[in-house]
Amino acid sequence: MSYGVTASTLRDMTHIPPPAVELRILDAELYQLDARRTQLLHRRAWLLTVLQPGPPAPVMPPPPAPPRPETTAPGVQNVLLVLGGILLTLAAIAFTLVSWGSMGITGRALVLGAVTLAALGAPVALLRRGLRSTAESLAGLGLALTVLDAYALHEVAFPAADGVTFAAATATVLTALWTAYGLGLPALPGGKEPSPTLLLPLPAALAIAQLPLLLWAIAAGGGPHTITAALLLTAVLDMVLALRVSPKAVRLVATAGAFTMGAWGVLAAGQLSLDATGPGAAARAAALFALAAAGAFGATWLASDVRLRTGTAAAGGLFVVVAVGGMLRATLPADWTVPGYLACGISLLALVRGRLPEPVRHGLGWASAAVQASAVLWALPVTTVTLFGPVTWVTRVWSGTPADARDAVTTDAFWPAHTAATPLVLAAVAAVLISTFRTTEWRPRALTAALILTWATALTIPTTLQLPYSVGLLIQGLTIIALLALTHRTAALLALATSLSLTAVSLATEPATLAVLASLTAVFAPAAWRGRLAPASVAYATALACATGAALDWQPEHIALLVLAVPVTAALLAARIGDPSTTLAVEITGAVAAVIAISLSALELPMFAMVLALCGVIAAGTALRPDRRSVGYLAAALFVLAMWVRLSVWNVGSPEAYTLPVTVPALLVGALRRRRDPNVPSWTAYGPGLAATLVPSLLTAWSDAHWTRPLLLGTAALAVTLLGARHRLQAPLALGGGTLVLDALHELAPYLVQVVGALPRWAPPALAGLLLLALGATYEQRIRDARRVREVLGRMN
């Protein structure tokens, strides 16, 4: 340190103790840390002791849960009350019906009246005490006793009264009494607040209220129209109550009554409308439907739910259609019944376009749609018979000209009655579909449906009008042309279906068959270029060829030559079509025509061979296309089959005559393949061709007693073996060598037999033993030589 440093500067400098002092300081701090660590460890051990749990107490299983009740207390109460009420009611019935005669008139009246009053008055006191369920049971008992009182009153006071009239009066009185009873109970005071109302009396009153109008109509001697009107009026009243009253139980009973009585009334009115034989009866039935329609439209205006309003409006529209249509049916001929109803249904669409509320317009639209759909279903049997009826001509080809177009389709089918207006109905619905759906998203579907209906119209016109047979054929042909002119897929399918029906119906006469098949072939030919129904023209051309040959009285094998023109045309057409799927369809149809030609010529072998060869030529021409090279194998197979058939016709029995035509082309193909790709194995290139001749010839040579075949076979096998060895090819070497050895063994077999016969009996075992010893002595060398031979054969490829 410099001696020139001032005192103030020394005070500001950091003091660093000497090393000995600093060591003592560090030791003291480490001692304190050790002491603190020991203290903390003791504290930790004490805490662990405190927190350590004692011995585990035995775990007691939880007490079993009390059994859960299977029903609630209110449920038990209600069951008991209902059962009690039922038993009391049954007892009262038994008392009234069985024990009635043992008491006088005063006693009987007092007993039954007292019990009834007690049963009806008890709910008042029970409601004041809050016992509502018990009050419901006793009220139900009291209501049932009033019915028994009415029965007793009839038996005692009015025994000669008419039963229906008394029942009508009783139902009316009970309805009023039960209604007053149900409405009067809630007004009774019950402490600080009025007692709650009972649920049973008002629904029971509404249930029995379904009977008065019906019974009064029957008692008054009303006919079916009066009784039906009573049913409908009851349904209308129920409908008003269902839409206006607030208690849920009452609304449910009113809804059930409205639907039940309304359904009976509508069904009865419909039967009356169908049975009406004059305008008067039809008008009365129409009035009933007008009442039903008024109730339905009233429900539409009273209801608040949109779906309910739509449904009731649809029902009202249907009732109007049936009412007006029934009046038209009574004045028009039977054939115009359905058109009359359809006209009424279509007329509803005028209201749909009006200013009515939207739910009403939707409901009327659905009603019109239902009427139109029903009319189309009515026309369906006529369309079905017209389309599928001609199928029966397949079993009676060229049996005679039908009387008319209807007779042509009903040879084995039933024609529905009163269906002369079927085309008009179908056309009207089609026109409605086109005019109604103009700008909505349903437009494409509507157009498709209209197309189908228009097609059905054209199809059924000749049969319903009983036009001449030739006119019917012409109309169906024009329909096919019109459908093919459209670009719609549905139109193409309809055209195909119509063509099949037209073909079947044309089988009645020979000229019609030829004319129709020729026309269909020409009509469907342009469709092939557009990729639609391409196989149809080829199929009809095949049928035309068969029909033409049959018309000329040709034999089947000669017809086969005419049919072969179809696959030739199909092959030429397929090469010019750009669409792959259409090309494949045309080729498959042409192949089917070729199969038909082959099957027609199968019974005449010379012609069979010619047809096979011509089919091979067609297949070879198809194989010239780059994308159909694989068809060449089919062409080769057809050529070989044709040659085999021809050889069998010539009674050639030598197998080489059959196998060499296969071997030579196969070897040429194999040589060309190995020339393009030297890595192709010889077994793939030459194996099949060589085996096709060598194996059958070897099998024949073993059973041949002459020396010519074995000698030629051995020479050929030797040549094949030498060629295989020259070019180091495994397949020719193995097949040729194996054939040569077996052929030589066949030739030396007689001499070997003689040698074996000349040797003593011990010689063969001895020779076998020597052979085994020799093999055993040179086993290792033999194995090594075999491996070398295998390696050499493997390197040949």
Side-chain angles (χ1 to χ4, degrees):
M1 181 183 297
S2 175
Y3 291 96
V5 179
T6 62
S8 60
T9 303
L10 289 174
R11 284 194 302 267
D12 296 334
M13 294 177 61
T14 303
H15 175 72
I16 299 177
V21 177
E22 185 179 1
L23 180 59
R24 288 195 299 270
I25 294 173
L26 292 176
D27 290 338
E29 290 181 356
L30 290 174
Y31 176 80
Q32 293 177 358
L33 289 175
D34 290 337
R36 182 60 178 168
R37 183 175 184 276
T38 302
Q39 181 184 1
L40 294 175
L41 289 175
H42 283 292
R43 184 64 179 176
R44 180 179 182 276
W46 180 82
L47 292 174
L48 290 176
T49 304
V50 173
L51 297 176
Q52 183 69 27
V59 179
M60 298 299 293
R68 185 178 181 180
E70 296 182 356
T71 183
T72 61
V76 175
Q77 169 189 316
N78 293 333
V79 171
L80 294 177
L81 293 175
V82 170
L83 290 177
I86 293 174
L87 292 177
L88 289 175
T89 303
L90 294 176
I93 293 174
F95 171 76
T96 304
L97 298 179
V98 178
S99 302
W100 191 257
S102 61
M103 300 179 64
I105 185 171
T106 304
R108 287 177 288 183
L110 290 175
V111 171
L112 195 56
V115 173
T116 303
L117 291 176
L120 292 177
V124 178
L126 293 174
L127 287 175
R128 290 176 178 176
R129 295 178 177 271
L131 302 177
R132 182 173 180 176
S133 299
T134 307
E136 291 280 5
S137 299
L138 290 178
L141 175 62
L143 297 179
L145 289 176
T146 56
V147 179
L148 295 177
D149 289 335
Y151 170 76
L153 183 63
H154 177 269
E155 293 295 326
V156 174
F158 305 100
D162 179 62
V164 178
T165 304
F166 187 82
T170 301
T172 305
V173 173
L174 290 179
T175 300
L177 290 177
W178 291 5
T179 304
Y181 182 71
L183 294 175
L185 282 177
L188 295 174
K192 296 182 179 180
E193 297 180 359
S195 60
T197 183
L198 295 181
L199 299 178
L200 183 60
L202 290 180
L206 184 58
I208 202 171
Q210 309 300 313
L211 301 177
L213 290 178
L214 177 62
L215 293 177
W216 281 120
I218 297 175
H225 293 82
T226 304
I227 296 175
T228 304
L231 291 173
L232 293 175
L233 186 57
T234 303
V236 171
L237 296 175
D238 289 334
M239 179 269 300
V240 174
L241 291 176
L243 295 176
R244 286 305 180 188
V245 297
S246 57
K248 183 177 180 180
V250 177
R251 283 190 285 111
L252 291 177
V253 175
T255 302
F259 278 104
T260 303
M261 305 301 285
W264 286 358
V266 169
L267 291 177
Q271 187 64 41
L272 292 174
S273 178
L274 293 177
D275 294 339
T277 57
R284 290 193 296 272
L288 295 175
F289 277 109
L291 177 60
F297 287 125
T300 303
W301 292 107
L302 293 176
S304 58
D305 184 73
V306 175
R307 290 180 296 179
L308 180 60
R309 296 182 67 187
T310 302
T312 52
L318 290 176
F319 296 155
V320 172
V321 169
V322 176
V324 181
M327 297 178 64
L328 294 177
R329 186 194 65 82
T331 57
L332 294 176
D335 289 338
W336 293 92
T337 299
V338 175
Y341 284 106
L342 179 61
C344 297
I346 295 175
S347 300
L348 291 178
L349 296 178
L351 299 177
V352 173
R353 299 186 179 94
R355 297 183 179 181
L356 296 174
E358 184 176 359
V360 178
R361 290 190 289 108
H362 286 174
L364 294 177
W366 282 111
S368 177
V371 174
Q372 295 178 59
S374 301
V376 172
L377 290 177
W378 170 80
L380 186 60
V382 175
T383 307
T384 303
V385 172
T386 303
L387 186 63
F388 297 103
V391 176
T392 57
W393 285 106
V394 176
T395 59
R396 296 192 296 271
V397 178
W398 298 350
S399 58
T401 304
D404 50 46
R406 181 182 297 182
D407 184 62
V409 301
T410 56
T411 52
D412 290 334
F414 170 75
W415 184 260
H418 308 301
T419 55
T422 299
L424 178 61
V425 169
L426 295 172
V429 177
V432 170
L433 287 174
I434 295 174
S435 60
T436 302
F437 299 95
R438 294 182 178 179
T439 58
T440 63
E441 60 180 2
W442 292 83
R443 178 70 174 176
R445 302 177 185 177
L447 291 178
T448 301
L451 174 63
I452 296 175
L453 293 175
T454 305
W455 162 78
T457 302
L459 190 68
T460 55
I461 285 177
T463 53
T464 53
L465 300 182
Q466 293 182 295
L467 297 180
Y469 173 69
S470 57
V471 176
L473 297 178
L474 179 61
I475 291 177
Q476 287 190 350
L478 295 176
T479 302
I480 295 173
I481 296 175
L483 290 172
L484 291 178
L486 302 176
T487 58
H488 202 280
R489 183 177 182 180
T490 304
L493 296 178
L494 294 176
L496 181 60
T498 309
S499 66
L500 294 175
S501 178
L502 178 59
T503 302
V505 79
S506 68
L507 296 176
T509 62
E510 176 184 325
T513 303
L514 297 176
V516 167
L517 291 177
S519 301
L520 292 177
T521 302
V523 166
F524 279 99
W529 293 102
R530 291 184 293 178
R532 298 185 304 136
L533 304 177
S537 180
V538 180
Y540 286 124
T542 304
L544 176 62
C546 296
T548 302
L552 296 175
D553 292 331
W554 287 3
Q555 295 298 320
E557 59 271 15
H558 298 143
I559 298 176
L561 295 177
L562 186 59
V563 174
L564 280 180
V566 177
V568 172
T569 306
L572 296 176
L573 180 64
R576 297 178 177 272
I577 298 177
D579 184 34
S581 60
T582 306
T583 301
L584 181 61
V586 171
E587 289 175 344
I588 292 175
T589 311
V592 172
V595 171
I596 294 175
I598 292 173
S599 62
L600 288 174
S601 62
L603 298 179
E604 187 70 22
L605 292 183
M607 190 64 68
F608 185 44
M610 180 182 295
V611 171
L612 287 173
L614 293 176
C615 291
V617 172
I618 298 172
T622 303
L624 295 178
R625 293 161 49 193
D627 56 339
R628 292 292 186 269
R629 297 299 188 191
S630 58
V631 184
Y633 296 102
L634 177 61
L638 291 173
F639 284 133
V640 169
L641 289 176
M643 184 171 294
W644 285 357
V645 173
R646 175 55 62 182
L647 291 175
S648 66
V649 172
W650 290 340
N651 295 324
V652 175
S654 177
E656 289 79 10
Y658 296 90
T659 57
L660 285 177
V662 178
T663 297
V664 174
L667 293 178
L668 291 177
V669 172
L672 293 176
R673 186 173 181 183
R674 278 185 60 85
R675 185 175 181 181
R676 291 195 303 266
D677 186 7
N679 295 324
V680 176
S682 62
W683 286 106
T684 303
Y686 304 118
L690 293 175
T693 295
L694 292 178
V695 174
S697 297
L698 180 62
L699 295 176
T700 307
W702 271 77
S703 60
D704 194 350
H706 302 283
W707 58 273
T708 307
R709 185 186 300 277
L711 177 61
L712 295 176
L713 178 61
T715 303
L718 178 60
V720 171
T721 304
L722 295 177
L723 288 174
R726 170 67 179 80
H727 296 283
R728 305 179 68 179
L729 297 175
Q730 192 179 77
L733 182 61
L735 291 175
T739 303
L740 182 61
V741 170
L742 293 176
D743 186 64
L745 182 61
H746 170 265
E747 292 301 309
L748 297 177
Y751 302 101
L752 294 177
V753 172
Q754 294 177 2
V755 171
V756 172
L759 291 176
R761 292 176 179 246
W762 52 267
L767 292 176
L770 291 175
L771 179 61
L772 291 176
L773 289 176
L775 291 175
T778 59
Y779 185 72
E780 184 177 359
Q781 182 66 31
R782 300 291 183 183
I783 292 177
R784 186 164 54 251
D785 293 342
R787 290 176 179 173
R788 290 177 179 177
V789 171
R790 186 169 65 250
E791 292 175 358
V792 170
L793 292 176
R795 287 195 299 270
M796 287 183 179
N797 286 326

